[in-house]
Amino acid sequence: MSVTDPQPPAPDAPGDAAQEALRDRIAADSLTTRRDYLRIVATVSGGLAVGGVAVASGILHRHGDSEGAPEVKKIADRIERGESLAFRYPGEEDRAIAVRMEDGTLAGYSAVCTHLACAVLWRNDRGSEGELYCPCHEGIFDARTGEVTAGPPPRGLPKVILVEQVDGSVWAIGTARSGESALEGFCRQNGDDRPGCPGFGAGGPGLKATERSERT
Amino acid sequence: MSESTFPPDPEAPRPSTPPAGGMDPEPPRPPAYTPGSAQPRLNRPVHERYPQIRPTSGYGDPRIRHTGPGPGAGTEQEPERSSKLSARLALALTVVIGQLWGLTIVVDEWMAGDTGTAWWGTGFLVLSFLVVLGLWAIDPKDR
Ligand code: FES
């Protein structure tokens, strides 16, 4: 006796509905999964495309993104060697950090890690001359350039451009993105006709226009 | 789907050699596919038809040397159509993985201030989506 032997067909009275349900079950058992899966994959793919459009059109906040040139702001009367200072610039939600290294170099960066947005700390005791350290996943940034030296962050830190007056007070005058030098960032925000910028003196509007369109 | 019939089995008796009663030389087209079988007993779920086929089919049992058919044995009725669907799904998944990578690039370029490159990356994402959409649209009703 084998289990595959034909069994007497079900009595006809509830037969039709039961038969339909059975067919449904068979169809649902193994036959619909891949089609549904393909539809889900197509939906996910569309979501990713929409996400790309949203990102490129500016849904993500970048440090220092605001209308017009940022105002100049005094952040400290004095920063001693080996010290750091947390401040907010240019907006209230733009966390930033200013560092004075042992050799007197003054540098300012966004304090938001480019990996997953933890707070970046100044650690004077790490590395040969101190470094900017993200405790979340051991991300390490060079304090001189803001570039990534170790860990998972994908980009260097955006910069905050700091200047020091003769009396030792420190002022923030602008920002630069991860991919920019401080000068490029300054010129982007304040216009190219400033001293040191490519458009200075020439005053050519054409040059200004191309430069502007290259960097948002 | 209009599939040609299988190549004839060389061992099988030739239908083209006219037997008694003059058969049609064209082999009849296979009937349209409907799920399940005409015989109700074959429409029972597999685990009812073959209780021997268990989810592991004996793989977990140290006494079993030669495992029998696996859990899905005997369920495939149209392997050609089915494998095409699998291939479409595999291609779509591959494209989506590429899109995930592309999105990280777009975010990276945007955050670095390179908006032009970010838009190019977005174009890549949209094109990939069209490819997936095409893979789906080849036959949305396929199972
Ligand atoms: S958040 Fe800074 S390393 Fe991950």
Side-chain angles (χ1 to χ4, degrees):
Chain A
M1 142 102 203
S2 152
V3 286
T4 57
D5 277 348
Q7 302 196 338
D12 267 358
D16 250 7
Q19 197 66 32
E20 271 311 300
L22 197 57
R23 289 204 162 220
D24 259 16
R25 203 159 117 219
I26 295 160
D29 213 19
S30 66
L31 296 179
T32 57
T33 40
R34 276 174 308 171
R35 175 181 55 182
D36 289 348
Y37 205 26
L38 189 55
R39 213 173 49 212
I40 292 166
V41 167
T43 311
V44 168
S45 171
L48 288 172
V50 169
V53 171
V55 168
S57 55
I59 203 176
L60 297 177
H61 176 77
R62 285 184 292 205
H63 187 99
D65 264 0
S66 51
E67 310 85 53
E71 84 278 30
V72 173
K73 183 173 161 192
K74 180 178 179 178
I75 59 164
D77 288 332
R78 199 170 178 77
I79 300 179
E80 298 298 339
R81 298 189 170 211
E83 300 273 283
S84 74
L85 174 78
F87 60 103
R88 305 207 167 211
Y89 181 85
E92 259 316 295
E93 71 284 1
D94 291 316
R95 287 177 289 147
I97 186 168
V99 173
R100 161 101 56 198
M101 300 174 69
E102 291 294 351
D103 64 0
T105 312
L106 184 66
Y109 296 104
S110 157
V112 181
C113 182
T114 54
H115 180 221
L116 292 177
C118 284
V120 174
L121 309 171
W122 165 245
R123 295 287 289 271
N124 206 5
D125 52 325
R126 293 180 64 105
S128 54
E129 45 180 1
E131 59 199 14
L132 291 161
Y133 173 72
C134 176
C136 287
H137 314 98
E138 306 262 317
I140 296 170
F141 301 89
D142 188 308
R144 260 177 226 289
T145 63
E147 291 306 318
V148 182
T149 51
R155 297 174 298 281
L157 290 171
K159 301 171 188 64
V160 174
I161 307 166
L162 299 178
V163 292
E164 191 178 10
Q165 300 294 335
V166 274
D167 63 355
S169 64
V170 175
W171 298 70
I173 60 167
T175 58
R177 299 193 181 120
S178 305
E180 290 177 323
S181 70
L183 182 64
E184 283 169 342
F186 181 78
C187 296
R188 171 173 54 79
Q189 290 169 319
N190 294 287
D192 279 338
D193 44 0
R194 294 303 197 90
C197 292
F200 181 57
L207 178 64
K208 195 167 168 176
T210 52
E211 184 72 12
R212 281 256 156 191
S213 62
E214 246 175 61
R215 300 255 169 216
T216 302
Chain B
M1 296 225 270
S2 59
E3 297 282 350
S4 60
T5 47
F6 288 106
D9 184 357
E11 311 283 346
R14 294 260 159 188
S16 51
T17 53
M23 252 180 70
D24 196 331
E26 275 274 319
R29 304 208 126 271
Y33 176 81
T34 47
S37 164
Q39 302 182 46
R41 70 185 174 90
L42 296 178
N43 283 339
R44 289 173 298 147
V46 180
H47 55 87
E48 245 174 65
R49 278 189 286 150
Y50 304 102
Q52 303 99 321
I53 302 178
R54 285 163 296 141
T56 56
S57 197
Y59 286 98
D61 189 336
R63 296 165 301 176
I64 292 179
R65 298 277 184 117
H66 304 287
T67 60
T75 56
E76 194 52 85
Q77 302 186 32
E78 284 178 289
E80 292 90 352
R81 181 196 51 72
S82 169
S83 61
K84 272 184 232 160
L85 180 55
S86 297
R88 282 160 59 199
L89 187 55
L91 286 173
L93 279 170
T94 312
V95 172
V96 165
I97 290 167
Q99 275 187 307
L100 283 169
W101 167 80
L103 189 58
T104 65
I105 302 295
V106 168
V107 170
D108 215 42
E109 293 297 335
W110 159 261
M111 291 305 277
D114 210 342
T115 311
T117 313
W119 277 113
W120 278 110
T122 303
F124 170 77
L125 292 184
V126 172
L127 280 182
S128 305
F129 172 52
L130 292 182
V131 169
V132 174
L133 210 57
L135 285 170
W136 170 78
I138 288 174
D139 191 353
K141 294 248 167 50
D142 203 354
R143 295 167 300 277

